[in-house]
Amino acid sequence: MNSLLFEFRHLFIWVLISLFFAAVVSIDPFPETRLSLEDAFFFETSPRSDIVLVKIDDRSLNKIGQWPWPRATFAELINRLEKASVIGIDVSFREPSRFGERDDQQLAQAIEQSAAPVVLSAPFRSAGQETLSIFDHAYYGFSDVLIDSDGKTREMVYWQENMPSFAYAVSLLTRKSILEPPPPGSSGPIRINYRGGNETYPAFSFTDVLDNPDIDELFDGKVILVGVTASDLRNFQLTPFGFISGVETQANKVDTVLEDSIYYSSKLVTVATIIILIFLAMLSSIYIRRLYLLLLTLGAIIVLYIVVIVIGFANFLILDPLYPSMAVVATVMVTSISQYLVISERERIVRRSFTYLAAMVESMNDGVVLVDNSHRIRVLNKTARSLFKVSDRFSLSLEECARKLPSTLNLKNGLKESRDRQSIIQLESVLIDDSYYQIFIDPIGRETIISENLGSVIIFHDITHEKEVERLREDFISMMVHELRSPLDAIKKLMEALRGGDIDKADRRSSYLSLVHTNASQMLLLVNDLLDVAKIEAGKFEIKPEPTDLRKLFEERTRFFEGVAKDKKITLELYASGDVPPEVSLDGMRINQVLNNLLSNSLKFSAEQGRVKLWAYITSEGVSPAKAGAKEGLPEYIDTLNLEPLADKSLTIAVSDTGNGISKEKLPQLFNKFRQFEESRTSAQKGTGLGLAIVKGIAEAHQGKVAVASDKGKGSIFYVSIPLSQIKK
């Protein structure tokens, strides 16, 4: 979705703002501001030369007398203007003259005899019904003006119902046209194209026209508009060019119609313009990140729109300068806020990702060192800091890092080689503070979207465990070779002796065959131990529970090892508490194997005059085997492993000895396969290291657990606890 020009949210914002400003254009909440901005695009221009005003001014009132004048005065004026093209008198004659019927007749006669058509004004509300019939030879047009909310007159209409406007009637008669309604759709309000302020058109005082007989030639073929301009009569209207007289307003209307300089405005065009400008503003807000560039682009869009407005005015189309500009600003603000919120959320996600990444790198067991192309250390995780014994990444340079490594390891050459080859390289393993590390160097940006080489990552991978496993493997192979070679060598020599025929006595032959059997049994026992360990690790180790006499089993095992104990001058004892069940259901052969391994180990690691004891007792639920054993007389040692309280009532088998004990650090490794500590490797009786691993597997197969307690220099105790619920008959 991010690859598209708009995300869904951008499309939503575009539609939402477009709908909002379409409603704003329809409602027009700020008409005064809008109209004032439109006024700024209208300038003073030259008026038509054929429009002449005759003003009923203050001088005329002073000479002719109080208003209203006798209508004979207007009759005289019409007679003087006989060469005019059209005469428009913007004075109301709705009521009979106060000077009598004769006065009205004189005006009616002048209108009838006039060579130029005469247009009289009438309020629209009369709709022609209140005009005097005596003036039927005159044309009428309503002179009502449209006033905007700010009190200014900006618009006019051609026709309403059955009457033309005063200016439209004058214009049609000037063109020698018939007074008829305009085409459908053209009668709506149109903008008056004012040519300027007051006194823009040539004008003569009413009294000057009457008094000067030579002035008639000045009106030849002219459109004469007669109207009141006297200050006392207050016939002035507020326009974009200030206050001008009513007759001056009518002159601008006539001029607008005659010149066809008719300005139209369309809300539909305004809405379409807003949609386009919102689109441009949104694109700018989305793809421009720097504030000053965004402001410049915003200004450029508004300037471009002003140019479009000017072009529109040149073609008589009024484009709204207010609401589209507001839409641009609102779009930039809303989109910028949306972008800010989205970017903030994405930055939060990125920061969280970096936090997770940093936490992951910090918690890695491998040492991680990130260096830039100038070999400055940028990242040094906890393991690496511990490795090089520093508190932060700024405390160690790459040179200091290299000095802590063996002199045979050239870290800089490794970095150069990795960067040149653009691949991971592996350096030789090194020993640092008793631990072995394998060093890997990987250039940053390799096979990623990052094309720039930002440096390299150096990984110090701890392979101490692998080295230890390798050593254990070698020790095991050596032990296996020894354990198998000795009996095989003995079998070979005994068989050679038997085949040689130099053994005559049957008892000696029988003794040799017995030795062959013993050595073969030892090898079979070793192979069986290996198979048991393999089954335990594979989860395929199985037991075969059957009724077993525990006390008999313990006594037999004790008697079996008495000879070994006697040879080493070790006291071997058996203790079974009275609450031990006489017979339970378990795998007697496997438990026998457990006892063999535990007793043989204890006897092996106990010195002369030592003591080994086999214990059997019941451990209650919620009690640890050590606590239960202490009540039976078992010693309690400090260092322990897995000696938590048991969840079930259990049978506990324990073997204690008075050997050297096991250190606390080595206890967790005790039940690992092939694990033999120094005491075992230096003992005269070698072992395979499989015994305790098998003990643990047998205990867990019975749903039990093993535990150990030891005190260095005092001895050890091994516990095997099996829940009674698993072994009761």
Side-chain angles (χ1 to χ4, degrees):
M1 193 70 176
N2 291 333
S3 62
L4 299 178
L5 183 64
F6 274 162
E7 296 179 4
F8 176 78
R9 62 186 176 88
H10 296 144
L11 181 62
F12 177 76
I13 292 173
W14 185 20
V15 172
L16 187 64
I17 296 179
S18 298
L19 291 175
F20 174 78
F21 276 95
V24 169
V25 170
S26 177
I27 298 172
D28 193 12
F30 309 109
E32 296 87 352
T33 306
R34 176 180 59 80
L35 292 170
S36 297
L37 290 174
E38 290 179 1
D39 292 343
F41 292 92
F42 287 91
F43 304 98
E44 292 187 5
T45 56
S46 299
R48 286 176 64 97
S49 60
D50 59 347
I51 299 177
V52 178
L53 307 184
V54 176
K55 298 182 177 181
I56 303 173
D57 53 8
D58 291 330
R59 190 158 60 90
S60 299
L61 286 178
N62 291 334
K63 185 174 182 179
I64 296 175
Q66 182 181 0
W67 187 263
W69 291 342
R71 290 175 183 174
T73 306
F74 289 97
E76 184 181 356
L77 177 68
I78 292 173
N79 293 331
R80 295 295 301 270
L81 300 175
E82 60 182 6
K83 294 184 179 181
S85 174
V86 176
I87 302 172
I89 303 176
D90 188 17
V91 176
S92 176
F93 297 114
R94 290 184 306 161
E95 299 175 356
S97 172
R98 65 186 178 95
F99 296 101
E101 184 178 353
R102 175 65 182 162
D103 190 37
D104 286 331
Q105 290 176 348
Q106 288 181 351
L107 177 59
Q109 184 179 2
I111 293 173
E112 182 179 0
Q113 295 176 354
S114 173
V118 178
V119 180
L120 301 180
S121 68
F124 173 72
R125 60 180 174 270
S126 65
Q129 296 177 7
E130 297 182 11
T131 58
L132 297 177
S133 60
I134 195 172
F135 302 134
D136 286 346
H137 291 284
Y139 297 93
Y140 281 96
F142 62 84
S143 58
D144 298 57
V145 295
L146 302 179
I147 300 176
D148 291 325
S149 58
D150 59 352
K152 294 180 181 179
T153 300
R154 294 185 179 87
E155 294 180 326
M156 61 174 287
V157 293
Y158 286 160
W159 199 283
Q160 285 193 4
E161 297 185 5
N162 296 319
M163 180 178 287
S165 69
F166 177 84
Y168 187 59
V170 171
S171 301
L172 289 180
L173 293 171
T174 302
R175 292 175 174 173
K176 311 300 183 183
S177 300
I178 301 174
L179 286 183
E180 59 182 3
S186 302
S187 60
I190 61 172
R191 180 81 185 224
I192 303 172
N193 187 8
Y194 285 97
R195 303 301 182 178
N198 210 17
E199 300 183 358
T200 298
Y201 291 88
F204 297 90
S205 174
F206 194 100
T207 187
D208 289 343
V209 175
L210 295 181
D211 295 344
N212 190 349
D214 299 329
I215 205 171
D216 297 357
E217 299 298 328
L218 298 177
F219 301 116
D220 188 6
K222 306 293 185 181
V223 178
I224 309 301
L225 298 178
V226 182
V228 177
T229 62
S231 57
D232 289 346
L233 298 182
R234 299 178 181 178
N235 187 22
F236 285 85
Q237 295 156 4
L238 180 62
T239 71
F241 290 92
F243 283 97
I244 63 176
S245 63
V247 68
E248 194 94 25
T249 302
Q250 296 293 358
N252 280 279
K253 292 179 181 180
V254 172
D255 197 341
T256 299
V257 177
L258 291 177
E259 287 294 316
D260 286 327
S261 57
I262 299 170
Y263 287 87
Y264 293 95
S265 60
S266 170
K267 290 185 177 182
L268 184 63
V269 173
T270 301
V271 171
T273 304
I274 285 175
I275 293 174
I276 296 173
L277 290 176
I278 289 173
F279 180 81
L280 295 176
M282 183 168 291
L283 280 182
S284 303
S285 301
I286 292 171
Y287 294 105
I288 297 178
R289 293 289 181 262
R290 296 187 179 277
L291 178 60
Y292 75 93
L293 289 177
L294 181 60
L295 293 176
L296 287 175
T297 306
L298 176 61
I301 292 175
I302 294 177
V303 169
L304 177 63
Y305 180 57
I306 292 174
V307 172
V308 173
I309 292 176
V310 173
I311 296 173
F313 265 70
N315 292 276
F316 303 103
L317 175 63
I318 300 176
L319 295 175
D320 180 8
L322 176 62
Y323 298 126
S325 300
M326 291 174 61
V328 170
V329 175
T331 301
V332 170
M333 292 178 61
V334 172
T335 307
S336 298
I337 293 172
S338 172
Q339 287 290 94
Y340 172 77
L341 294 176
V342 171
I343 291 174
S344 297
E345 176 63 17
R346 289 175 179 172
E347 286 180 350
R348 186 187 66 80
I349 294 173
V350 171
R351 283 196 298 269
R352 174 180 259 178
S353 299
F354 274 117
T355 300
Y356 288 146
L357 180 61
M360 180 187 71
V361 172
E362 184 71 9
S363 62
M364 287 177 63
N365 290 328
D366 291 340
V368 179
V369 180
L370 189 148
V371 296
D372 59 19
N373 289 324
S374 300
H375 292 172
R376 290 190 296 268
I377 292 179
R378 297 298 185 182
V379 175
L380 198 69
N381 74 342
K382 181 175 67 175
T383 303
R385 292 195 299 272
S386 175
L387 185 64
F388 296 109
K389 297 180 174 60
V390 294
S391 58
D392 57 71
R393 71 171 187 266
F394 303 106
S395 301
L396 185 69
S397 65
L398 185 63
E399 290 75 12
E400 291 174 320
C401 176
R403 282 198 295 269
K404 292 179 179 289
L405 301 176
S407 58
T408 56
L409 184 65
N410 195 323
L411 205 54
K412 285 189 175 181
N413 286 347
L415 289 168
K416 184 178 183 303
E417 181 183 354
S418 173
R419 186 169 60 251
D420 293 342
R421 290 168 52 183
Q422 282 297 297
S423 62
I424 299 176
I425 66 168
Q426 177 178 330
L427 304 182
E428 62 185 83
S429 60
V430 295
L431 180 65
I432 304 176
D433 294 338
D434 299 327
S435 296
Y436 287 94
Y437 291 90
Q438 185 70 61
I439 300 176
F440 300 91
I441 301 178
D442 186 9
I444 300 175
R446 183 180 63 87
E447 297 180 357
T448 66
I449 60 174
I450 303 173
S451 58
E452 182 184 0
N453 189 342
L454 301 178
S456 300
V457 176
I458 306 173
I459 304 294
F460 290 83
H461 177 54
D462 190 348
I463 58 172
T464 305
H465 178 68
E466 287 84 347
K467 288 282 187 180
E468 179 66 15
V469 170
E470 178 65 20
R471 185 185 65 79
L472 289 175
R473 187 182 67 84
E474 292 174 354
D475 290 350
F476 174 70
I477 292 174
S478 176
M479 178 271 298
M480 290 295 294
V481 169
H482 174 76
E483 292 291 330
L484 291 175
R485 184 175 58 186
S486 296
L488 283 173
D489 186 54
I491 291 172
K492 178 183 176 183
K493 290 179 179 179
L494 289 170
M495 292 304 296
E496 287 176 352
L498 289 172
R499 291 175 61 188
D502 55 348
I503 302 177
D504 298 328
K505 294 183 178 180
D507 56 344
R508 292 189 64 187
R509 184 180 293 109
S510 176
S511 176
Y512 279 19
L513 289 174
S514 177
L515 289 173
V516 169
H517 180 269
T518 300
N519 283 280
S521 298
Q522 289 179 0
M523 289 188 294
L524 181 60
L525 181 62
L526 177 59
V527 172
N528 286 336
D529 284 350
L530 288 171
L531 288 174
D532 286 342
V533 170
K535 289 179 180 179
I536 290 170
E537 291 185 341
K540 297 180 179 180
F541 186 77
E542 297 179 353
I543 58 173
K544 298 178 181 179
E546 58 184 6
T548 303
D549 188 335
L550 286 178
R551 295 182 182 275
K552 181 180 178 182
L553 179 63
F554 296 151
E555 291 171 357
E556 286 179 353
R557 286 299 91 196
T558 304
R559 285 196 300 268
F560 179 81
F561 283 99
E562 280 181 350
V564 178
K566 186 176 181 181
D567 290 341
K568 293 192 65 174
K569 300 180 181 179
I570 296 173
T571 302
L572 178 60
E573 299 176 317
L574 168 64
Y575 169 79
S577 65
D579 54 358
V580 173
E583 188 176 76
V584 294
S585 178
L586 46 69
D587 192 331
M589 185 183 72
R590 293 300 184 182
I591 297 300
N592 188 70
Q593 193 174 355
V594 168
L595 296 175
N596 285 343
N597 285 328
L598 293 179
L599 289 171
S600 62
N601 279 348
S602 293
L603 291 170
K604 182 192 301 184
F605 296 113
S606 295
E608 291 185 0
Q609 308 303 321
R611 183 181 180 186
V612 174
K613 191 170 184 177
L614 174 61
W615 305 74
Y617 54 90
I618 299 300
T619 301
S620 301
E621 177 184 350
V623 180
S624 72
K627 292 293 183 183
K631 294 180 180 179
E632 304 294 339
L634 265 171
E636 290 189 82
Y637 292 140
I638 299 174
D639 301 325
T640 63
L641 176 70
N642 295 339
L643 270 178
E644 297 83 10
L646 300 178
D648 300 304
K649 190 174 183 180
S650 303
L651 166 68
T652 299
I653 302 170
V655 176
S656 63
D657 62 53
T658 56
N660 290 329
I662 306 167
S663 63
K664 182 178 181 180
E665 295 77 15
K666 294 178 179 179
L667 285 179
Q669 307 170 15
L670 198 58
F671 293 97
N672 295 342
K673 65 178 181 177
F674 308 138
R675 175 61 64 180
Q676 296 188 76
F677 301 124
E678 294 301 322
E679 295 84 349
S680 177
R681 288 197 291 269
T682 58
S683 174
Q685 300 181 16
K686 300 289 184 180
T688 62
L690 302 175
L692 292 179
I694 294 173
V695 168
K696 180 181 178 184
I698 293 172
E700 291 176 349
H702 285 84
Q703 306 302 314
K705 60 181 291 188
V706 294
V708 62
S710 184
D711 200 345
K712 191 67 176 174
K714 293 183 179 180
S716 304
I717 304 174
F718 287 84
Y719 302 90
V720 177
S721 297
I722 301 174
L724 286 175
S725 59
Q726 298 292 325
I727 60 176
K728 279 187 176 181
K729 292 182 63 177

